[in-house]
Amino acid sequence: MSSTVRVVINARDQLGETPLWCPRTDKVWWIDIERPRLQSFDERTGKHEVHPFESTFAGSLALHREGGFVVGLDNSLHRFEPATSTLNRLVEVESADKRTRLNDGRCDRRGRLWIGTMDAAIQEPLGSFYRVDPSGAVHRLFNDIIVTNSVTTSPDDRTLYMSDTRRFKIWAFDLDPDDGVLSNRRVFADYASEKGRPDGACVDSDGCVWNAVFAGHRVIRYTPTGKVDRVIELPVTNPTCVCFGGPDLSTLYITTATKMIAPEILANEPLAGALLALDVGMKGLPEAMFGAAD
């Protein structure tokens, strides 16, 4: 195990987000939300690919079981195939005339996508949280969210985690894996005293939750009971999301952002906006995919 942070590639992302390891391509993929584009990096060859979108935001990313990705562009979900640059809309989650956009989301092992919206201006509780079934059916579960984040599920799909970054809390819910019903909402991690901003999250093979703290220079590992197990300080102000990747899922990838950093600080932060990686001495889980299982 090494706590040495490695720079995978410094694309100087404005708002890098949602890293995913794709076993079909053996690459790490991620998005830059406000310069809407999907990116990949092949650590074997050093090849960096960029796929831009004609939208205002690219807010979320998931693997599609039948190939390619599910990308949240503005308020709709699209299936994107990088090999052919084919983009097809799957479903509109919220009306395009709302002052919201899609943000963080992840799939469970039944092929459902759990995803939320947020106030595009990051001020008012205009967002909602949704379950999108493999059929494309959209279920609005609750509202009153400023910024949806930290969406991930436990290894057995019986606990779902999500946060409202601007309310400084991560919540846990009981999840019925058969019918997709959430219940027993409770505070899992409370950043309110320090006004900490919980951003993207993932779960490792032990069921522990890894959370990137935006504007917090760090990633925190929590046990399933919500106890802080480990804190990793980073050389960037804004880590945004985490995932485990590599052939054996033992590399922790971390996306970062240059957004919301004062110019005088940004000038002295050369790794802001880079995709980072480190060995944390444990393994993750294969990324769940959207779509009905065979």
Side-chain angles (χ1 to χ4, degrees):
M1 180 181 69
S2 171
S3 295
T4 302
V5 175
R6 176 169 60 86
V7 180
V8 178
I9 184 171
N10 193 347
R12 206 67 168 169
D13 291 332
Q14 186 167 324
L15 189 52
E17 262 286 3
T18 319
L20 299 177
W21 178 259
C22 175
R24 294 183 290 231
T25 60
D26 286 331
K27 298 177 185 177
V28 58
W29 296 76
W30 73 103
I31 55 177
D32 189 343
I33 290 178
E34 295 189 356
R35 288 188 296 178
R37 58 186 188 172
L38 172 64
Q39 303 176 80
S40 70
F41 191 81
D42 189 332
E43 295 225 52
R44 301 162 300 178
T45 65
K47 185 176 181 180
H48 177 219
E49 294 185 353
V50 179
H51 304 272
F53 298 111
E54 293 182 1
S55 61
T56 304
F57 301 103
S60 65
L61 182 68
L63 300 176
H64 196 292
R65 196 181 301 275
E66 296 179 9
F69 297 86
V70 176
V71 184
L73 302 180
D74 299 330
N75 274 331
S76 295
L77 294 173
H78 300 253
R79 182 177 173 187
F80 179 68
E81 179 50 69
T84 59
S85 296
T86 304
L87 182 70
N88 293 303
R89 193 170 82 161
L90 296 173
V91 66
E92 183 181 73
V93 178
E94 281 190 349
S95 172
D97 60 8
K98 296 190 70 174
R99 292 182 288 130
T100 58
R101 68 167 176 85
L102 289 167
N103 203 47
D104 196 36
R106 279 194 190 269
C107 295
D108 66 20
R109 290 151 194 85
R110 302 294 178 94
R112 298 170 292 213
L113 176 63
W114 302 84
I115 192 167
T117 56
M118 59 172 279
D119 174 14
I122 324 179
Q123 295 179 350
E124 300 179 59
L126 304 178
S128 298
F129 194 63
Y130 296 88
R131 186 187 80 236
V132 182
D133 294 338
S135 65
V138 177
H139 306 270
R140 187 185 188 196
L141 305 177
F142 53 88
N143 57 6
D144 195 38
I145 299 170
I146 304 174
V147 181
T148 301
N149 258 315
S150 311
V151 182
T152 191
T153 60
S154 61
D156 62 3
D157 273 349
R158 293 188 176 276
T159 304
L160 180 137
Y161 305 92
M162 63 84 63
S163 72
D164 186 335
T165 299
R166 289 305 180 104
R167 286 200 169 97
F168 317 118
K169 290 180 175 64
I170 302 175
W171 290 281
F173 298 77
D174 291 342
L175 166 59
D176 187 316
D178 294 321
D179 60 21
V181 171
L182 298 180
S183 60
N184 189 26
R185 177 172 176 164
R186 59 218 182 256
V187 174
F188 177 75
D190 192 342
Y191 294 78
S193 62
E194 61 186 276
K195 294 292 189 289
R197 300 180 185 178
D199 208 325
C202 71
V203 170
D204 65 25
S205 59
D206 293 330
C208 292
V209 177
W210 293 78
N211 182 238
V213 186
F214 190 88
H217 303 265
R218 66 193 187 279
V219 168
I220 300 177
R221 184 188 195 233
Y222 293 94
T223 68
T225 62
K227 179 182 177 181
V228 174
D229 175 74
R230 188 173 175 190
V231 178
I232 299 175
E233 299 292 338
L234 298 170
V236 293
T237 299
N238 293 334
T240 56
C241 195
V242 289
C243 81
F244 282 90
D248 59 357
L249 299 176
S250 64
T251 298
L252 185 71
Y253 289 102
I254 306 167
T255 48
T256 69
T258 57
K259 182 181 175 69
M260 294 183 177
I261 302 177
E264 62 274 16
I265 296 176
L266 189 59
N268 295 302
E269 197 167 301
L271 298 187
L275 177 66
L276 307 177
L278 66 160
D279 173 12
V280 292
M282 53 206 63
K283 294 186 178 183
L285 298 166
E287 192 71 33
M289 300 183 183
F290 180 77
D294 296 334

